[in-house]
Structure formats: structure tokens, C-alpha cells
Amino acid sequence: MIARTVVDRNRLTGGGIASGLDESLKLIALISGTAAAMNVQLGTQYYPNPPVTSAIPASVPMPALPTPP
């Protein structure tokens, strides 16, 4: 399978129609961690082939997001 996002040193690139969403999730994961990216994915209900995988919204309750300081 061809990667939809590529991290090369300090650059993140992607290609394809949905790559903007994939890149966004990857960037969130790099900056804030996988759990944050999974929360965003769950909230946007984006499930074609994302770089992180959380549950389908109908199968689990929405996780609580951390309260900002």
C-alpha cells in the first residue's frame, strides 16, 4: 500500500483526495499525541483510511476531551 502521508525530517506531505484530512490527523498526532488525533477522528467521523484508528461513533461513547488549563 502506498503511504498517504510522509514525514521527512521536519516536513509532512501527502497526496490524494483525502490526504488533507490524513495530514491533519498525522500533524495532530505528532504535536499532541495519538489520543488527541483519535479524538479528532472520532469527532469528525473520518474513517476511510486514516493514519490512526479509533472506534466507530455508534459503537462507543464519545471520550471526554481534556480541559484546557
Side-chain angles (χ1 to χ4, degrees):
M1 176 180 217
I2 298 173
R4 291 166 57 140
T5 61
V6 175
V7 177
D8 184 11
R9 296 179 300 271
N10 65 345
R11 290 174 176 79
L12 172 63
T13 60
I17 294 187
S19 70
L21 293 171
D22 289 350
E23 285 178 85
S24 297
L25 289 172
K26 184 65 175 178
L27 185 60
I28 293 166
L30 290 170
I31 293 172
S32 299
T34 301
M38 290 172 73
N39 278 330
V40 171
Q41 178 199 9
L42 186 59
T44 58
Q45 299 182 17
Y46 174 63
Y47 293 97
N49 189 14
V52 297
T53 304
S54 62
I56 302 295
S59 67
V60 295
M62 184 73 157
L65 297 174
T67 306

